[in-house]
């Protein structure tokens, strides 16, 4: 179709615009010439518009089934439901790269708009230069290495169809959220580099940078959880996190960004850790690029990986190296202006706790990165292959996560500079006693899993620290204003959104942690063989098989298992699990049956069947899985409180 | 203070690097399996065309021939939920132990991937244009 050439040429022409804009920006920064900087700003805006055109056109080609574009022919077909014509955009390599570029353009445009009043500030323009530079790299990728607009002549009558694994509602949200989270880290990086370029190293850039980081961090965090949710619903192994290289590569920058969000507070309050913060935001950005590289170049074997593309991989490595060199060079150049104004006075201070939290977070990031890359490094050095599995990750990360959890409670309550004995006793005696008591009660009640008991103890400690903080501050406000409890708490949060939003985020983290501890330590798995009318018990549940039927969907054949579920002898309803066989790709697909309740999930997979109507069923009872998602919701809420404009 | 930061950082790095020993699983070629003994290993390769023995898509226990990258084959037996991507010609990784007397690899874990991962080849009979 003719209109697709518009999108294609927008993508090609944008290379010229981005190059001109970049040259103008560099010249303008060097000569401090406002006219060139304004030229750069307009070029960046135009460039964002062109990227938008290129992306919208490709999506349009999917909706109109224009199979003369190879990418559309490869990832869709005539019978693909309308909704998935949009998600097919990020189903493959070329489209994903264009989508990355699109998200970056959207962020650049948002940056220009949000800070539109700072146009007289040179830092505003320097940041735009860095954004344009990153945009330029991805433009080069889609134009030269991974072109979504390659044509087929003559066009095929029908396309290859979309991978059925990707035909799930979560696929409409999870990849875009991860992309937004990943790409969003480019803005704080650009802010930091802009500050280094212009020498404007006061608090100004940090204030700007912080909000953008919180935004990207939140979206990335929720995106990771949604990915877990997708794996849980779709893959049928009863879990939500498998330490897959691609899961890891999204989690690592999230950890370093968490470290940055904490240590940057020390810089704001106490003028310390300036080099550290510059390095952290640089590392976070590099890790997002590295994560994209790992997924896209096929260098690491994973269920997510795309086919190996050496040219693309090479371009990513060069870009990664240049960014690292660029940032290091700037930090060394501005070394004099980045020295600390003060020293940490005591181990028992918020500064020290935050610093320790940074060490743990970076340790976690290193551990996960090391475990993810070790097989590749090992193969390069020794020539034989090994795999590093969940066993390694669990052994290494569990102790670090436990320490981090305790710090989640300590950090918000301990005083700056130097905590006194009475401050410590006032804030931590009750939570510590509560934690000890709850572990004791659990132990008496038969919970003998040492790691789980420790985990739950830590979580009780965190939650009591936070509740105590909320309660004390609200009580203080009530004494001075005479308001009722909840209005007082609401106003308190409204008055200091950053602080209390942060506390709410911590509550979310603790709730998610509780879900993870309970569901990984106390999962029950059982395999059943049932015939219609027969029933079996799993824990306190009785599952009665109704029938096994064949069915037909528009693009797939199905075998459907129906079960009646009873809790003790109280009926809970019907549970359905399916195996689907998609026509186009002939790939079987498992549809799990999940009955989600507040305290447990009943999770059923149809593993197989035989000619006489016997069904082979895997049943999992997963305690507190909903709390993992619930915690994500609380985290999101806290972040919204933090970011809500004044 | 920075000394303590460096020390705790070093402790974490030490923990990580030493933990990898003992948790890693080696990949073994089909020909070297008899020498692997009773320990858990991984075998990777392609599922042989015509090599899957099972009653149909509903069968839980399967046996198949896996061809490794050198072209050697090994018989793999597996019982459990079959990965959706598992079929003839698919890339598969089996984790488990080798039973030398029976010359069978008992897989505890089976992973599979579409032959070309998520990249698909262009529709047949069509040459790429510009």
């Amino acid at each position: 179709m003719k209109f697709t050439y518009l999108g294609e040429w927008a993508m090609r022409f944008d290379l010229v615009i981005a190059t001109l804009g970049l040259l103008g920006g560099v010249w303008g920064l060097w000569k401090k010439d406002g006219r060139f900087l304004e030229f750069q700003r307009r070029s960046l805006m135009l460039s964002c518009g062109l990227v938008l055109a290129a992306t919208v056109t490709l999506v349009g080609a999917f909706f109109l089934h224009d199979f003369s574009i190879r990418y559309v022919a490869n990832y869709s077909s005539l019978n693909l439901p309308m909704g998935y014509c949009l998600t097919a955009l990020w189903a493959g390599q070329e489209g994903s790269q264009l989508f990355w570029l699109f998200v970056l353009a959207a962020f650049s445009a948002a940056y220009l708009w949000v800070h539109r009043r700072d146009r007289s500030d040179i830092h505003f323009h320097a940041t735009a230069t860095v954004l344009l530079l990153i945009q330029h790299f991805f433009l080069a990728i889609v134009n030269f290495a991974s072109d979504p607009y390659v044509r087929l002549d003559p066009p095929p009558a029908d396309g290859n169809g979309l991978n059925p694994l990707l035909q799930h509602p979560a696929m409409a949200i999870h990849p875009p959220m991860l992309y937004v989270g990943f790409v969003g880290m480019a803005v704080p990086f650009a802010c930091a580099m802009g500050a280094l370029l212009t020498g404007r190293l006061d608090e100004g850039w940090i204030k700007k940078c912080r909000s953008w980081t919180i935004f990207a961090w939140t979206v990335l965090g929720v995106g990771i959880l949604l990915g877990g949710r997708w794996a849980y619903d779709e893959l049928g192994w009863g879990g939500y996190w498998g330490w897959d290289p691609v899961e890891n590569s999204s989690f690592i920058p999230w950890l370093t960004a968490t470290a940055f969000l904490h240590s940057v507070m020390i810089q704001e309050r106490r003028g310390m850790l300036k080099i550290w913060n510059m390095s952290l935001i640089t590392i976070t950005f590099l890790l997002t690029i590295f994560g994209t590289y790992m997924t896209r170049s096929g260098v690491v074997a994973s269920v997510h990986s795309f086919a190996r593309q050496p040219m693309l991989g090479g371009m990513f490595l060069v870009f990664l190296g240049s960014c690292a060199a660029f940032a290091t060079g700037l930090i060394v150049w501005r070394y004099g202006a980045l020295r600390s104004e003060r020293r940490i006075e005591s181990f028992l201070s918020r500064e020290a706790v935050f610093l320790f939290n940074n060490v743990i977070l970076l340790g976690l990031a290193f551990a996960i990165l090391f475990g993810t890359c070790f097989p590749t490094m090992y193969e390069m050095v020794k020539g034989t292959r090994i795999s590093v599995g969940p066993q390694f990750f669990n052994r290494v990360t569990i102790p670090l996560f436990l320490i981090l959890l305790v710090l989640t409670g300590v950090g918000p309550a301990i005083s700056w500079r130097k905590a006194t004995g009475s401050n410590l006793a006032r804030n931590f005696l009750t939570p510590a006693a509560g934690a000890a008591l709850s572990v004791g009660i659990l132990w008496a009640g038969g919970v003998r899993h040492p790691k789980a008991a420790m985990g739950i103890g830590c979580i009780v400690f965190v939650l009591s620290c936070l509740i105590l903080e909320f309660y004390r501050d609200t009580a203080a406000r009530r004494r001075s204003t005479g308001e009722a409890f909840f209005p007082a708490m609401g106003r308190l949060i409204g008055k200091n959104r950053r602080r209390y939003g942060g506390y709410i985020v911590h509550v979310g983290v603790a709730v998610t942690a509780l879900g993870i501890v309970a569901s990984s330590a106390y999962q029950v798995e059982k395999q059943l063989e049932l015939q219609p009318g027969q029933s079996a018990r799993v824990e306190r549940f009785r599952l009665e098989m109704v029938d096994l039927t064949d069915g037909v969907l528009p693009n797939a054949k199905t075998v459907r298992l129906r079960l009646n579920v009873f809790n003790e002898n109280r009926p809970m309803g019907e549970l359905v699990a399916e195996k689907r066989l998609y026509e186009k790709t002939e790939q079987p697909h498992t549809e799990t049956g999940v009955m989600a309740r507040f305290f447990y999930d009943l999770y059923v997979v149809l593993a197989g069947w035989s000619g006489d109507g016997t069904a082979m069923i895997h049943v999992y009872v997963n305690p507190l899985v909903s709390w993992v998602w619930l915690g994500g919701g609380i985290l999101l809420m806290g972040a919204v409180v933090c970011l809500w404009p004044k | 203070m920075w000394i303590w930061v460096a020390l705790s950082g070093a402790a974490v790095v030490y923990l990580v690097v030493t933990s990898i020993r003992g948790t890693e699983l080696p990949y073994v070629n089909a020909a070297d399996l008899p020498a692997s003994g009773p320990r858990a290993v991984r075998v990777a390769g392609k599922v042989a065309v015509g090599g899957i023995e099972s009653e149909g898509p509903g069968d839980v226990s399967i046996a198949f021939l896996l061809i490794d990258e050198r072209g050697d084959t090994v018989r793999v037996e597996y019982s459990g939920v079959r990965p959706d991507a598992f079929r003839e010609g698919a890339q598969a990784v089996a984790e488990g132990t080798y039973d030398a007397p029976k010359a069978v690899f008992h897989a505890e874990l089976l992973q599979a991937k579409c032959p070309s991962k998520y990249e698909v080849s262009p529709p047949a009979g069509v040459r790429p244009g510009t």
Side-chain angles (χ1 to χ4, degrees):
Chain A
M1 266 160 255
K2 289 275 188 307
F3 79 95
T4 57
Y5 286 96
L6 265 172
E8 178 177 354
W9 285 105
M11 192 179 89
R12 313 259 183 255
F13 181 58
D14 195 11
L15 265 179
V16 180
I17 297 297
T19 309
L20 288 177
L22 203 53
L23 290 174
V26 171
W27 184 259
L29 284 180
W30 189 21
K31 295 286 173 195
K32 304 251 185 318
D33 187 331
R35 288 169 307 164
F36 283 93
L37 294 173
E38 179 60 17
F39 171 75
Q40 175 194 240
R41 191 183 69 87
R42 293 188 180 187
S43 309
L44 181 54
M45 275 184 348
L46 178 59
S47 167
C48 294
L50 291 171
V51 171
L52 176 71
T55 315
V56 168
T57 311
L58 193 63
V59 174
F62 270 109
F63 277 102
L64 298 172
H65 303 300
D66 181 359
F67 300 126
S68 69
I69 296 175
R70 191 177 75 185
Y71 188 72
V72 175
N74 277 351
Y75 294 101
S76 69
S77 53
L78 290 171
N79 66 359
L80 186 68
M82 268 300 181
Y84 292 116
C85 286
L86 177 67
T87 64
L89 174 64
W90 48 81
Q93 176 76 269
E94 296 88 350
S96 306
Q97 302 294 353
L98 183 61
F99 187 54
W100 216 108
L101 181 61
F102 167 74
V103 177
L104 182 63
F107 266 109
S108 307
Y111 174 83
L112 292 180
W113 187 76
V114 169
H115 301 294
R116 63 192 178 282
R117 289 194 190 87
D118 306 337
R119 246 186 276 173
S120 55
D121 183 357
I122 194 155
H123 176 256
F124 169 84
H125 294 285
T127 306
T129 308
V130 181
L131 284 173
L132 198 53
L133 196 70
I134 303 168
Q135 198 162 320
H136 206 273
F137 167 69
F138 279 92
L139 261 177
I141 292 262
V142 291
N143 273 296
F144 302 122
S146 171
D147 188 343
Y149 279 104
V150 175
R151 310 270 165 172
L152 292 173
D153 186 30
D158 196 359
N160 273 339
L162 185 65
N163 186 331
L165 273 178
L166 304 180
Q167 297 189 28
H168 180 273
M171 277 296 110
I173 322 170
H174 158 62
M177 290 204 78
L178 279 189
Y179 273 75
V180 170
F182 257 44
V183 180
M185 295 298 174
V187 182
F189 171 73
C191 273
M193 293 304 109
L196 288 172
L197 277 170
T198 54
R200 299 281 295 275
L201 293 160
D202 50 2
E203 285 91 50
W205 77 271
I206 286 185
K207 287 224 166 68
K208 251 189 200 174
C209 182
R210 234 185 61 93
S211 309
W212 288 101
T213 316
I214 292 180
F215 179 75
W217 176 88
T218 309
V219 177
L220 186 59
V222 175
I224 292 170
L225 279 177
L226 279 173
R229 181 62 193 261
W230 171 79
Y232 184 71
D233 285 348
E234 285 293 286
L235 299 182
W237 53 276
Y240 42 81
W241 188 262
W243 295 110
D244 176 89
V246 173
E247 291 170 350
N248 295 349
S249 71
S250 60
F251 190 41
I252 300 167
W254 189 82
L255 289 170
T256 55
T258 313
F260 175 74
L261 282 175
H262 288 92
S263 65
V264 89
M265 278 185 246
I266 310 182
Q267 180 167 350
E268 244 179 302
R269 286 290 289 253
R270 313 272 303 146
M272 291 184 279
L273 302 182
K274 291 177 184 173
I275 295 175
W276 178 267
N277 286 327
M278 283 289 176
S279 315
L280 270 182
I281 197 62
T282 304
I283 288 170
T284 303
F285 173 70
L286 293 179
L287 283 169
T288 63
I289 298 290
F290 184 68
T292 314
Y293 160 70
M294 285 213 298
T295 338
R296 299 300 167 235
S297 66
V299 71
V300 172
S302 140
V303 288
H304 289 75
S305 58
F306 289 79
R308 206 180 267 262
Q309 292 200 341
M311 156 102 168
L312 196 68
M315 283 176 81
F316 266 101
L317 283 185
V318 168
F319 182 61
L320 211 54
S322 322
C323 285
F326 177 66
T328 315
L330 284 179
I331 292 173
V332 171
W333 181 41
R334 297 286 184 194
Y335 182 76
L338 289 171
R339 261 176 298 187
S340 280
E341 293 156 30
R342 298 188 186 83
R343 296 170 66 89
I344 290 182
E345 292 166 31
S346 160
F347 276 107
L348 294 173
S349 65
R350 195 175 291 185
E351 295 93 306
V353 170
F354 276 22
L355 199 57
F356 193 49
N357 126 316
N358 266 239
V359 173
I360 301 290
L361 280 165
L362 283 184
L364 272 167
F366 169 76
I368 299 169
L369 187 66
F370 184 77
T372 309
C373 298
F374 190 72
T376 311
M377 296 187 297
Y378 189 90
E379 194 182 348
M380 279 196 283
V381 176
K382 298 234 176 166
T384 58
R385 290 167 65 199
I386 56 155
S387 84
V388 174
Q391 216 197 340
F392 163 79
F393 292 106
N394 290 338
R395 183 195 288 186
V396 173
T397 57
I398 287 173
L400 295 177
F401 277 126
L402 287 178
I403 299 173
L404 202 58
L405 257 179
V406 174
L407 296 180
T408 310
V410 175
I414 196 167
S415 354
W416 289 100
R417 298 185 63 185
K418 194 172 192 313
T420 57
S422 66
N423 167 280
L424 293 177
R426 193 175 113 91
N427 286 320
F428 302 118
L429 217 53
T430 322
L437 189 69
S438 58
V439 170
I441 291 171
L442 287 172
W443 200 265
V447 176
R448 296 287 156 82
H449 193 297
K451 276 177 195 154
M454 260 157 74
I456 293 170
C458 292
I459 292 160
V460 170
F461 174 78
V462 175
L463 288 175
S464 356
C465 283
L466 292 165
I467 292 170
L468 204 61
E469 277 286 298
F470 269 117
Y471 177 77
R472 285 226 181 94
D473 296 354
T474 307
R477 189 184 161 86
R478 285 183 70 194
R479 273 197 297 279
S480 61
T481 63
E483 292 163 325
F485 187 81
F486 286 105
M489 192 156 132
R491 293 222 178 81
L492 182 77
I493 294 173
K495 275 263 153 58
N496 198 341
R497 296 205 186 95
R498 243 182 87 171
R499 177 165 169 193
Y500 294 105
Y503 288 7
I504 296 171
V505 168
H506 279 206
V507 172
V509 169
V511 170
T512 295
L514 187 58
I516 293 172
V517 169
S519 60
S520 40
Y522 291 102
Q523 183 183 56
V524 173
E525 185 193 352
K526 207 165 174 186
Q527 305 187 12
L528 305 174
E529 271 188 37
L530 291 179
Q531 287 199 322
Q534 284 184 335
S535 67
R537 288 188 77 87
V538 179
E539 294 272 277
R540 62 180 190 281
F541 306 101
R542 189 162 64 81
L543 290 89
E544 185 187 86
M545 177 165 160
V546 180
D547 57 6
L548 196 65
T549 49
D550 292 328
V552 180
L553 290 173
N555 54 354
K557 283 184 287 205
T558 68
V559 177
R560 171 187 288 242
L561 166 78
R562 292 197 300 160
L563 293 166
N564 270 330
V565 183
F566 301 88
N567 183 355
E568 299 298 348
N569 278 318
R570 202 162 40 80
M572 290 174 67
E574 194 180 73
L575 199 57
V576 176
E578 288 183 342
K579 272 274 188 214
R580 292 185 181 169
L581 199 66
Y582 283 87
E583 281 164 9
K584 206 86 206 166
T585 50
E586 285 177 13
Q587 184 163 315
H589 179 71
T590 310
E591 286 284 306
T592 54
V594 184
M595 202 173 256
R597 294 289 182 269
F598 193 63
F599 288 108
Y600 58 86
D601 277 16
L602 199 61
Y603 183 103
V604 173
V605 180
L606 176 60
W609 57 87
S610 56
D612 62 347
T614 309
M616 270 69 99
I617 310 165
H618 279 229
V619 182
Y620 299 86
V621 181
N622 296 325
L624 301 195
V625 169
S626 344
W627 292 46
V628 177
W629 326 128
L630 176 70
I634 299 176
L635 184 148
L636 182 62
M637 211 168 72
V640 168
V641 170
C642 281
L643 289 174
W644 200 265
K646 291 211 174 70
Chain B
M1 181 56 78
W2 286 102
I3 292 173
W4 290 105
V5 169
L7 277 180
S8 38
V12 171
V13 171
Y14 178 78
L15 170 78
V16 169
V17 175
T18 52
S19 295
I20 214 131
R21 293 261 156 256
T23 55
E24 93 279 24
L25 285 176
Y27 278 88
V28 175
N29 292 313
D32 302 331
L33 275 173
S36 70
R39 64 179 295 212
V41 293
R42 283 186 159 205
V43 205
K46 219 170 91 172
V47 180
V49 175
I52 304 182
E53 298 166 24
S54 77
E55 311 269 309
D59 206 2
V60 178
S61 303
I62 47 170
F64 60 93
L65 285 179
L66 193 70
I67 310 172
D68 74 4
E69 51 184 15
R70 291 189 190 170
D72 299 319
T73 59
V74 58
R75 187 185 154 84
V76 180
E77 287 183 4
Y78 172 74
S79 158
V81 178
R82 200 186 297 191
D84 286 336
F86 180 85
R87 57 169 143 166
E88 290 178 349
Q91 296 288 328
V93 174
E95 187 178 311
T97 49
Y98 188 67
D99 183 348
K102 289 189 188 155
V104 164
F105 189 79
H106 291 288
E108 297 285 321
L109 196 93
L110 185 63
Q111 294 175 335
K113 205 169 346 186
C114 294
S116 50
K117 302 173 184 170
Y118 288 176
E119 286 290 301
V120 288
S121 47
V126 171
R127 67 188 163 78
T130 45

